[in-house]
Amino acid sequence: MNHSEDVRRVEITARGGRADIEIEIDGARIDPGAVKAYSVSHLAGQRPEVLLHVADRNETQWAGLARVAVADLPDPGPAAAAFLDAIDPEALERAALARPDLGTEPYSLTKTMLTQLGEWARGL
């Protein structure tokens, strides 16, 4: 197999940290609405790989050859358990009680704690 035949020129132009992207494959521009995400990986000694996550759009058509990989979504349980194990209960309670959105209705402390945990999980 001639590896130069299955190498494609891919150009991705991203503007800022937003989803404003332009993708070209071998000079052909891809409709930005046809791609909901992309990832680029490059392992030492191997060619770089670009993975395009195609949006579910009926009017989009793709033609050509591709290496297709199907992966199961990872189980979020172990990551969530590790995150929760690292939480200091005193720091969580202090942060929740200091929040301006803490209400007085039933379960408001629990709701506020869950909001706080979600923000910490997102790095906010």
Side-chain angles (χ1 to χ4, degrees):
M1 174 186 227
N2 184 350
H3 288 292
S4 64
E5 290 177 10
D6 53 68
V7 174
R8 301 286 182 241
R9 182 182 163 275
V10 178
E11 184 175 331
I12 299 173
T13 305
R15 290 175 183 81
R18 307 195 54 97
D20 184 19
I21 61 167
E22 291 179 13
I23 299 175
E24 289 185 9
I25 300 175
D26 290 336
R29 187 160 188 250
I30 303 298
D31 173 15
V35 177
K36 65 180 176 180
Y38 68 90
S39 61
V40 179
S41 63
H42 188 191
L43 299 174
Q46 297 182 14
R47 289 179 297 173
E49 263 186 14
V50 176
L51 176 61
L52 301 178
H53 301 266
V54 180
D56 186 17
R57 296 175 58 125
N58 293 332
E59 65 271 10
T60 302
Q61 293 185 358
W62 293 83
L65 300 174
R67 187 177 74 138
V68 177
V70 178
D72 291 327
L73 292 175
D75 178 10
F83 171 75
L84 292 172
D85 285 346
I87 298 298
D88 175 359
E90 183 180 342
L92 174 60
E93 186 172 321
R94 211 172 325 124
L97 291 172
R99 291 180 61 96
D101 59 346
L102 175 61
T104 57
E105 62 274 358
Y107 313 112
S108 62
L109 180 59
T110 302
K111 180 180 176 185
T112 303
M113 286 182 166
L114 290 171
T115 300
Q116 183 66 48
L117 286 170
E119 289 179 3
W120 283 348
R122 289 186 297 279
L124 302 177

